[in-house]
Amino acid sequence: MITESLETRISAALARAGAPADSPALVGPATRPEFGDYQANGVMAAAKKLKTNPRAFAARVVEELDLEDMAASVDIAGPGFINIQLKGEWLAAQLGNVLADPRLGVPKDTTQKVVIDYSHPNLAKEMHIGHLRSTVIGDAIARVLEFSGHEVVRHNHVGDWGTQFGMLIAHLDEIADPAPELADLEVFYQSARQRFDQDAAFADLSREYVVKLQSGDPHVQRMWQQFIDESLAHGQRIYDALGVGLKPEDVQGESAYNDDLPRVVEDLRAKGLLVESNGAQCVFLEEFKNKDGQITPMIVQKSDGGYLYATSDLAAVRYRAGVLAADRILYIVDARQSFHLQQVFAVARAAGYAPATTALEHHEFGAILGADNRPFKTRAGGVVKLMDVLEEGVARAFAQVSEKNPDMDEAERRQIARVIGIGSIKYMELSFNRTSDYVFDWDKMLALDGNTAPYMLYSYARIKSMFRRAGVDEDALDGAIIIGERAENALAIKLLQFPEVVAAVARQCYPHMLCNYLYELADAFMKFYEQCPVLRADEPVRTSRLLLALLTARIVRQGLDLLGIETLERM
């Protein structure tokens, strides 16, 4: 990795020049082409600590710096910036190594076991647009971590327990043929809810079913399982359509921890953490004291003996850290749950469920908004079903593909439309910083320009088309890469940054960093293609430029695959 190599060497030079211990080199890509390829900005901070002239200190650092094998020039600019121009020969050699590597230069990290909790729909209802973020973001992070060499355990912590299921089972039990009714879970839920709100006798019956469910009544358990199976099957159809990696065996719902909840309460009591407050069992931790000196407690058992989400979340931490021995536990959960998870993590630590060596990480995300900058809903103000969104995306893409390619076989148009439609929805979701809200916009996500899936898919298909037109067999292409032109240099550097970006996403869990990188790579290739003739060039330059194009296509394909997006050979 370029940045890592430069950081190591320049940090060593800083130390030899007399900088304080652990002074970082602060290496990054140059902000402007005239500053070279990379800059080191750490000299000024080190010079300030030494109370010496930063430019003079930069000169001492450069004297101690050994970059002869990789740098064409090393210059000092301004008050002490170190500008580095990389050698074309060095870049070419690194690119040759990446071309020969099936992993495209991405090393396999020391394996960690990482549990990722994502998607987690409420099985009482149909999946809606709000589930898109956790599902797609979590899947991309899981893919990146797996590609980086880690052991990933996907957990779909579905909502499959609680009082609402008494209402649903009571309603289901009175229907002679439940299959048609369960075809639309949202309608079924609304029908049961309406009865519960308007019919006191049915409400009482629903509460009786909750008691029967929790006490293990065989008939009610069978009805509950029938409903859960249907809801999970609906969710799996969405996962398959989205192309995410969640499978039935990844389901680890709230009900999976039922038997463990009394133990959680007893563990907390044994640790001296429980305090009774208004009949409820609570944990009061000093770190959750507000400005008025009041501590916000975490309730783990209600006064009637019932348990809460916090209790099952604690049981989940105990299982993931204790039984699975996870090194990292990632929660891809709405930002609105931030305080809840802070409390869960703190209590889990206090209870000894998660040792200091196990990372508990909440990777929050914002909301999907409509054109009015309010939470995205239907025109009637209802919930937008996720399956409806996916089907509309494919339909819109099919209309675009058919307009541009009316003579193409319909089956191929539909295949292309599926990849573009689903890919566009996912890419738009992933291209935004996950902590931000974003406006759901069909026109922007399906546009052929800008940081969109269609643009990325077109960039890949264009390279593949070039090879077909030239009659070049990619697998038989052999030769050396030559970096001479400025556009070749810029493309080479961008190609070599792929491992750094993958490592950053694996570490920080921000998939938009990969989207931004792929867009910048496509832009660098476009400039290279415009400024450097490929097929018309003489040998050995022609082969060199074909190899640059080939490596670009491979990295774009791999990058999109890490985002969970398929590629197309032609559009």
Side-chain angles (χ1 to χ4, degrees):
M1 299 185 191
I2 299 176
T3 302
E4 183 179 302
S5 180
L6 289 173
E7 186 77 36
T8 299
R9 297 195 195 191
I10 298 173
S11 294
L14 276 164
R16 288 193 294 270
D22 300 323
S23 293
L26 301 180
V27 174
T31 54
R32 293 165 61 178
E34 58 266 33
F35 295 156
D37 298 321
Y38 279 82
Q39 287 180 305
N41 303 325
V43 168
M44 283 80 75
K48 185 176 181 180
K49 291 179 181 178
L50 294 172
K51 297 181 180 180
T52 189
N53 181 282
R55 189 174 176 90
F57 185 63
R60 283 160 51 193
V61 173
V62 170
E63 287 179 8
E64 297 289 345
L65 184 58
D66 180 13
L67 291 178
E68 185 176 349
D69 60 324
M70 63 186 299
S73 64
V74 179
D75 300 310
I76 300 170
F81 299 106
I82 297 177
N83 295 341
I84 301 157
Q85 179 76 48
L86 297 173
K87 284 183 177 179
E89 297 86 353
W90 184 85
L91 290 171
Q94 306 311 306
L95 290 172
N97 293 336
V98 174
L99 261 173
D101 182 3
R103 297 182 51 77
L104 300 170
V106 177
K108 276 205 169 186
D109 292 335
T110 302
T111 300
Q112 288 185 312
K113 179 177 279 190
V114 186
V115 174
I116 307 183
D117 180 339
Y118 69 104
S119 190
H120 36 250
N122 180 352
L123 296 190
K125 303 178 183 180
E126 193 165 337
M127 288 181 72
H128 56 77
I129 188 69
H131 294 111
L132 180 66
R133 300 216 74 177
S134 178
T135 303
V136 172
I137 293 169
D139 190 65
I141 293 170
R143 287 169 178 266
V144 169
L145 286 167
E146 282 179 328
F147 186 68
S148 300
H150 300 295
E151 179 186 354
V152 173
V153 180
R154 292 169 168 83
H155 269 188
N156 193 358
H157 190 77
V158 298
D160 63 353
W161 202 252
T163 56
Q164 59 191 332
F165 285 95
M167 173 188 76
L168 295 169
I169 297 166
H171 186 53
L172 182 65
D173 206 15
E174 295 180 358
I175 299 172
D177 182 11
E181 296 288 332
L182 292 177
D184 191 321
L185 293 176
E186 197 65 33
V187 171
F188 182 86
Y189 178 86
Q190 294 300 335
S191 177
R193 184 78 227 184
Q194 186 175 19
R195 289 187 66 193
F196 185 89
D197 292 339
Q198 298 178 1
D199 185 340
F202 178 74
D204 289 339
L205 180 64
S206 298
R207 295 185 185 98
E208 291 176 15
Y209 270 71
V210 172
V211 175
K212 290 180 179 180
L213 177 63
Q214 293 177 340
S215 62
D217 179 277
H219 173 69
V220 175
Q221 286 274 357
R222 282 195 300 272
M223 298 297 293
W224 172 79
Q225 192 63 57
Q226 181 182 1
F227 184 89
I228 294 302
D229 289 345
E230 182 59 40
S231 187
L232 286 173
H234 158 76
Q236 193 59 50
R237 288 192 290 273
I238 287 181
Y239 296 145
D240 292 343
L242 267 174
V244 301
L246 285 171
K247 302 298 179 188
E249 56 267 27
D250 299 319
V251 172
Q252 189 76 7
E254 293 172 21
S255 63
Y257 303 105
N258 281 345
D259 294 342
D260 210 26
L261 303 185
R263 175 175 175 175
V264 168
V265 174
E266 289 308 310
D267 285 347
L268 295 175
R269 181 174 286 112
K271 288 280 186 178
L273 293 169
L274 279 189
V275 175
E276 185 172 312
S277 177
N278 296 322
Q281 299 299 314
C282 308
V283 178
F284 291 80
L285 294 180
E286 284 291 322
E287 60 199 271
F288 298 108
K289 182 181 290 185
N290 62 25
K291 60 183 180 181
D292 298 322
Q294 301 295 315
I295 297 176
T296 302
M298 189 176 83
I299 305 173
V300 294
Q301 189 173 29
K302 296 185 291 186
S303 58
D304 63 3
Y307 302 105
L308 295 97
Y309 290 127
T311 326
S312 59
D313 284 338
L314 286 171
V317 173
R318 193 180 79 84
Y319 175 73
R320 293 162 178 173
V323 178
L324 296 181
D327 298 295
R328 294 176 72 187
I329 306 175
L330 314 183
Y331 292 76
I332 316 303
V333 178
D334 190 326
R336 291 172 295 182
Q337 298 298 316
S338 179
F339 183 73
H340 167 73
L341 286 174
Q342 287 176 35
Q343 287 195 309
V344 169
F345 294 169
V347 174
R349 298 283 192 203
Y353 287 164
T357 52
T358 298
L360 302 176
E361 306 173 24
H362 176 204
H363 296 291
E364 63 187 43
F365 54 84
I368 301 177
L369 308 177
D372 58 358
N373 282 310
R374 295 181 178 180
F376 191 32
K377 295 184 180 296
T378 64
R379 290 183 179 178
V383 173
V384 179
K385 295 180 181 179
L386 185 49
M387 185 60 84
D388 290 348
V389 172
L390 303 184
E391 290 174 351
E392 183 173 353
V394 173
R396 284 173 176 263
F398 181 71
Q400 284 188 354
V401 173
S402 297
E403 182 181 355
K404 289 181 170 60
N405 304 280
D407 298 327
M408 184 183 288
D409 178 72
E410 182 180 345
E412 185 174 5
R413 278 184 283 137
R414 292 201 177 278
Q415 164 63 8
I416 292 172
R418 182 189 64 78
V419 173
I420 293 175
I422 299 298
S424 295
I425 293 169
K426 295 176 75 172
Y427 193 91
M428 186 173 197
E429 166 65 51
L430 295 168
S431 65
F432 287 94
N433 185 320
R434 57 174 168 74
T435 62
S436 304
D437 299 340
Y438 76 91
V439 175
F440 191 91
D441 188 319
W442 285 116
D443 292 336
K444 286 184 179 179
M445 74 174 65
L446 289 167
L448 262 172
D449 56 353
N451 191 10
T452 66
Y455 176 73
M456 292 309 309
L457 293 171
Y458 173 73
S459 298
Y460 176 79
R462 185 179 186 181
I463 297 174
K464 302 297 284 188
S465 173
M466 179 179 68
F467 276 88
R468 286 196 301 272
R469 290 198 319 271
V472 174
D473 181 355
E474 297 176 12
D475 296 329
L477 194 61
D478 187 33
I481 292 178
I482 304 165
I483 303 298
E485 300 297 328
R486 187 63 198 168
E488 292 173 320
N489 188 87
L491 177 59
I493 289 172
K494 188 55 65 176
L495 288 166
L496 291 173
Q497 289 171 353
F498 180 59
E500 298 174 7
V501 175
V502 172
V505 176
R507 185 173 60 252
Q508 301 175 37
C509 299
Y510 284 104
H512 79 279
M513 298 166 70
L514 181 53
C515 293
N516 290 345
Y517 165 78
L518 292 174
Y519 178 59
E520 291 169 2
L521 174 60
D523 184 61
F525 179 80
M526 190 68 70
K527 291 174 181 175
F528 156 78
Y529 188 76
E530 291 171 350
Q531 298 172 26
C532 302
V534 178
L535 299 181
R536 298 195 310 273
D538 295 329
E539 292 293 357
V541 174
R542 182 178 188 270
T543 294
S544 170
R545 290 176 178 172
L546 282 169
L547 288 170
L548 285 172
L550 176 60
L551 185 53
T552 300
R554 287 180 180 174
I555 288 180
V556 168
R557 181 179 61 199
Q558 182 64 70
L560 289 175
D561 182 69
L562 292 178
L563 296 172
I565 296 172
E566 298 177 54
T567 48
L568 294 164
E569 296 292 309
R570 69 171 185 154
M571 288 176 65

